[in-house]
Amino acid sequence: MLQQTQVARVTEHLPHWLQRFPSIDTLAAASKREVLLAWSGMGYNRRALHLHAAASLICSRHNGIIPNDTDALLALPGIGRYTAHAVVCFAYGKRLPMVEVNIRRVLSRLASGMQRENAVLPETVTWKLAASLLPPRAYFAWNQALMDLGAMICTATRPACSACPFSRLCPSAHRLLPTPDRNTQTVRETPRRLYRGRLIEFLRKQPGHCATAAELHRLLFPDSGQEQRMRLFDILDSLRKDGMIDIHERSPGISASGTALNELRVCLAE
Ligand code: SF4
């Protein structure tokens, strides 16, 4: 849940989620639709389906116990190197390094004199650094401390170098310049994700959790005519490929031309 979502939102949502799915078995036994409905308000809906699929595999392959080795965890959907290491270190107490966005930023700034706030070392380099710096004991606290330092002091913008315990050693201290064109970069990347999220949220609230493609077209592109039709098909196709929606129509497959939007019925996946 914490992948790309703020702690405050997860803190609010987690109790409801655990009430609905108190164990891995109950999550695995739920339908996709139940999982997508319970995920409302969390954003990045693919993570809900990854959790669901991972729960099923944990039940079928690991007797319902979350594996304690990284290879088995990496074989589960939605789990990358950082999450695997975090589970094994934090939940099972094993000595493993970890690199997520905060730690990568801190180690990059500490290891090299960075010029800009957004500059970071290549990911492979930061993993090697993290492994070489990991203390023999208290590695759990070390990993947590690096994350907290990145979240609260060595922040992405305007790091508080004066309050940082590394300020005398750090070659980047008090010299990082702001990132140019930050706003432009953000705007270019967000629309498709936002459209996808808006569409899923709309379906959650519909009777039967279904709507016609025409209704979805009006929802996403209220001021446009047919010119955004291709874009809608693209979004629907990506959601269907991710297993989040089902599309019912007279002839199989979405075609960007020739199918009336009113003939396509889009539903949250069952
Ligand atoms: S001194 Fe500044 S740049 Fe260096 S680690 Fe601390 S907060 Fe980050």
Side-chain angles (χ1 to χ4, degrees), residues 109-110 153-154 159-161 164 166-167 170 172-173 176:
R109 291 174 179 177
L110 279 171
I153 291 179
C154 192
C161 297
C164 179
F166 290 121
S167 60
C170 178
S172 307
L176 291 164

PDB file of all heavy atoms in Angstrom, residues 109-110 153-154 159-161 164 166-167 170 172-173 176, ligand 1:
ATOM      1  N   ARG A 109      23.566  11.510  -2.427  1.00  0.00           N
ATOM      2  CA  ARG A 109      24.091  12.796  -1.973  1.00  0.00           C
ATOM      3  C   ARG A 109      25.293  12.616  -1.051  1.00  0.00           C
ATOM      4  O   ARG A 109      26.229  13.411  -1.074  1.00  0.00           O
ATOM      5  CB  ARG A 109      22.978  13.578  -1.254  1.00  0.00           C
ATOM      6  CG  ARG A 109      21.883  14.041  -2.219  1.00  0.00           C
ATOM      7  CD  ARG A 109      20.718  14.669  -1.489  1.00  0.00           C
ATOM      8  NE  ARG A 109      19.697  15.138  -2.428  1.00  0.00           N
ATOM      9  CZ  ARG A 109      18.539  15.684  -2.064  1.00  0.00           C
ATOM     10  NH1 ARG A 109      18.239  15.832  -0.779  1.00  0.00           N
ATOM     11  NH2 ARG A 109      17.681  16.091  -2.981  1.00  0.00           N
ATOM     12  N   LEU A 110      25.246  11.566  -0.245  1.00  0.00           N
ATOM     13  CA  LEU A 110      26.356  11.329   0.674  1.00  0.00           C
ATOM     14  C   LEU A 110      27.614  10.835  -0.043  1.00  0.00           C
ATOM     15  O   LEU A 110      28.735  11.178   0.317  1.00  0.00           O
ATOM     16  CB  LEU A 110      25.958  10.274   1.719  1.00  0.00           C
ATOM     17  CG  LEU A 110      25.130  10.764   2.898  1.00  0.00           C
ATOM     18  CD1 LEU A 110      24.643   9.577   3.711  1.00  0.00           C
ATOM     19  CD2 LEU A 110      25.948  11.702   3.773  1.00  0.00           C
ATOM     20  N   ILE A 153      14.491  14.912   6.430  1.00  0.00           N
ATOM     21  CA  ILE A 153      15.580  15.906   6.429  1.00  0.00           C
ATOM     22  C   ILE A 153      16.210  16.033   5.042  1.00  0.00           C
ATOM     23  O   ILE A 153      16.247  17.117   4.464  1.00  0.00           O
ATOM     24  CB  ILE A 153      16.641  15.544   7.493  1.00  0.00           C
ATOM     25  CG1 ILE A 153      16.031  15.734   8.888  1.00  0.00           C
ATOM     26  CG2 ILE A 153      17.886  16.423   7.341  1.00  0.00           C
ATOM     27  CD1 ILE A 153      16.927  15.403  10.037  1.00  0.00           C
ATOM     28  N   CYS A 154      16.678  14.930   4.506  1.00  0.00           N
ATOM     29  CA  CYS A 154      17.309  14.978   3.181  1.00  0.00           C
ATOM     30  C   CYS A 154      16.202  14.806   2.129  1.00  0.00           C
ATOM     31  O   CYS A 154      16.170  13.844   1.365  1.00  0.00           O
ATOM     32  CB  CYS A 154      18.352  13.869   3.066  1.00  0.00           C
ATOM     33  SG  CYS A 154      19.401  14.055   1.626  1.00  0.00           S
ATOM     34  N   PRO A 159      16.476  20.240   1.059  1.00  0.00           N
ATOM     35  CA  PRO A 159      16.887  19.418   2.197  1.00  0.00           C
ATOM     36  C   PRO A 159      17.362  20.298   3.360  1.00  0.00           C
ATOM     37  O   PRO A 159      17.939  21.362   3.141  1.00  0.00           O
ATOM     38  CB  PRO A 159      18.049  18.591   1.630  1.00  0.00           C
ATOM     39  CG  PRO A 159      18.527  19.349   0.444  1.00  0.00           C
ATOM     40  CD  PRO A 159      17.328  20.045  -0.124  1.00  0.00           C
ATOM     41  N   ALA A 160      17.086  19.831   4.589  1.00  0.00           N
ATOM     42  CA  ALA A 160      17.462  20.616   5.781  1.00  0.00           C
ATOM     43  C   ALA A 160      18.872  20.231   6.226  1.00  0.00           C
ATOM     44  O   ALA A 160      19.069  19.596   7.270  1.00  0.00           O
ATOM     45  CB  ALA A 160      16.446  20.358   6.883  1.00  0.00           C
ATOM     46  N   CYS A 161      19.867  20.622   5.439  1.00  0.00           N
ATOM     47  CA  CYS A 161      21.250  20.212   5.713  1.00  0.00           C
ATOM     48  C   CYS A 161      21.718  20.669   7.093  1.00  0.00           C
ATOM     49  O   CYS A 161      22.514  19.977   7.747  1.00  0.00           O
ATOM     50  CB  CYS A 161      22.186  20.746   4.626  1.00  0.00           C
ATOM     51  SG  CYS A 161      21.808  20.078   2.992  1.00  0.00           S
ATOM     52  N   CYS A 164      20.987  18.102   9.635  1.00  0.00           N
ATOM     53  CA  CYS A 164      21.353  16.728   9.257  1.00  0.00           C
ATOM     54  C   CYS A 164      22.587  16.258  10.021  1.00  0.00           C
ATOM     55  O   CYS A 164      23.592  16.962  10.084  1.00  0.00           O
ATOM     56  CB  CYS A 164      21.622  16.667   7.754  1.00  0.00           C
ATOM     57  SG  CYS A 164      22.116  15.031   7.200  1.00  0.00           S
ATOM     58  N   PHE A 166      24.719  14.265   9.102  1.00  0.00           N
ATOM     59  CA  PHE A 166      25.844  14.044   8.177  1.00  0.00           C
ATOM     60  C   PHE A 166      26.393  15.342   7.584  1.00  0.00           C
ATOM     61  O   PHE A 166      27.254  15.304   6.706  1.00  0.00           O
ATOM     62  CB  PHE A 166      25.393  13.157   7.007  1.00  0.00           C
ATOM     63  CG  PHE A 166      25.116  11.738   7.382  1.00  0.00           C
ATOM     64  CD1 PHE A 166      23.866  11.178   7.172  1.00  0.00           C
ATOM     65  CD2 PHE A 166      26.109  10.933   7.937  1.00  0.00           C
ATOM     66  CE1 PHE A 166      23.606   9.856   7.504  1.00  0.00           C
ATOM     67  CE2 PHE A 166      25.858   9.609   8.280  1.00  0.00           C
ATOM     68  CZ  PHE A 166      24.595   9.070   8.063  1.00  0.00           C
ATOM     69  N   SER A 167      25.910  16.475   8.035  1.00  0.00           N
ATOM     70  CA  SER A 167      26.204  17.718   7.307  1.00  0.00           C
ATOM     71  C   SER A 167      27.705  17.998   7.175  1.00  0.00           C
ATOM     72  O   SER A 167      28.155  18.550   6.180  1.00  0.00           O
ATOM     73  CB  SER A 167      25.494  18.906   7.945  1.00  0.00           C
ATOM     74  OG  SER A 167      25.924  19.059   9.258  1.00  0.00           O
ATOM     75  N   CYS A 170      29.057  15.374   4.392  1.00  0.00           N
ATOM     76  CA  CYS A 170      28.349  15.203   3.119  1.00  0.00           C
ATOM     77  C   CYS A 170      28.858  16.176   2.053  1.00  0.00           C
ATOM     78  O   CYS A 170      28.816  17.395   2.239  1.00  0.00           O
ATOM     79  CB  CYS A 170      26.862  15.419   3.357  1.00  0.00           C
ATOM     80  SG  CYS A 170      25.894  15.286   1.846  1.00  0.00           S
ATOM     81  N   SER A 172      27.441  16.977  -0.608  1.00  0.00           N
ATOM     82  CA  SER A 172      26.337  17.701  -1.254  1.00  0.00           C
ATOM     83  C   SER A 172      25.716  18.751  -0.329  1.00  0.00           C
ATOM     84  O   SER A 172      24.809  19.483  -0.756  1.00  0.00           O
ATOM     85  CB  SER A 172      25.225  16.719  -1.668  1.00  0.00           C
ATOM     86  OG  SER A 172      25.733  15.666  -2.438  1.00  0.00           O
ATOM     87  N   ALA A 173      26.182  18.811   0.915  1.00  0.00           N
ATOM     88  CA  ALA A 173      25.525  19.683   1.909  1.00  0.00           C
ATOM     89  C   ALA A 173      25.521  21.144   1.464  1.00  0.00           C
ATOM     90  O   ALA A 173      26.539  21.666   1.002  1.00  0.00           O
ATOM     91  CB  ALA A 173      26.240  19.554   3.252  1.00  0.00           C
ATOM     92  N   LEU A 176      22.918  22.013  -3.129  1.00  0.00           N
ATOM     93  CA  LEU A 176      22.028  21.446  -4.154  1.00  0.00           C
ATOM     94  C   LEU A 176      21.143  22.524  -4.773  1.00  0.00           C
ATOM     95  O   LEU A 176      20.475  23.275  -4.067  1.00  0.00           O
ATOM     96  CB  LEU A 176      21.150  20.352  -3.532  1.00  0.00           C
ATOM     97  CG  LEU A 176      21.909  19.093  -3.115  1.00  0.00           C
ATOM     98  CD1 LEU A 176      21.061  18.245  -2.169  1.00  0.00           C
ATOM     99  CD2 LEU A 176      22.317  18.281  -4.334  1.00  0.00           C
TER     100      LEU A 176
HETATM  101  S1  SF4 B   1      23.864  17.130   4.467  1.00  0.00           S
HETATM  102 FE1  SF4 B   1      22.107  17.722   3.240  1.00  0.00          FE
HETATM  103  S2  SF4 B   1      22.388  16.706   1.268  1.00  0.00           S
HETATM  104 FE2  SF4 B   1      23.799  15.726   2.725  1.00  0.00          FE
HETATM  105  S3  SF4 B   1      22.663  13.942   3.498  1.00  0.00           S
HETATM  106 FE3  SF4 B   1      22.291  15.631   4.919  1.00  0.00          FE
HETATM  107  S4  SF4 B   1      20.417  16.621   4.224  1.00  0.00           S
HETATM  108 FE4  SF4 B   1      21.181  15.322   2.560  1.00  0.00          FE
END
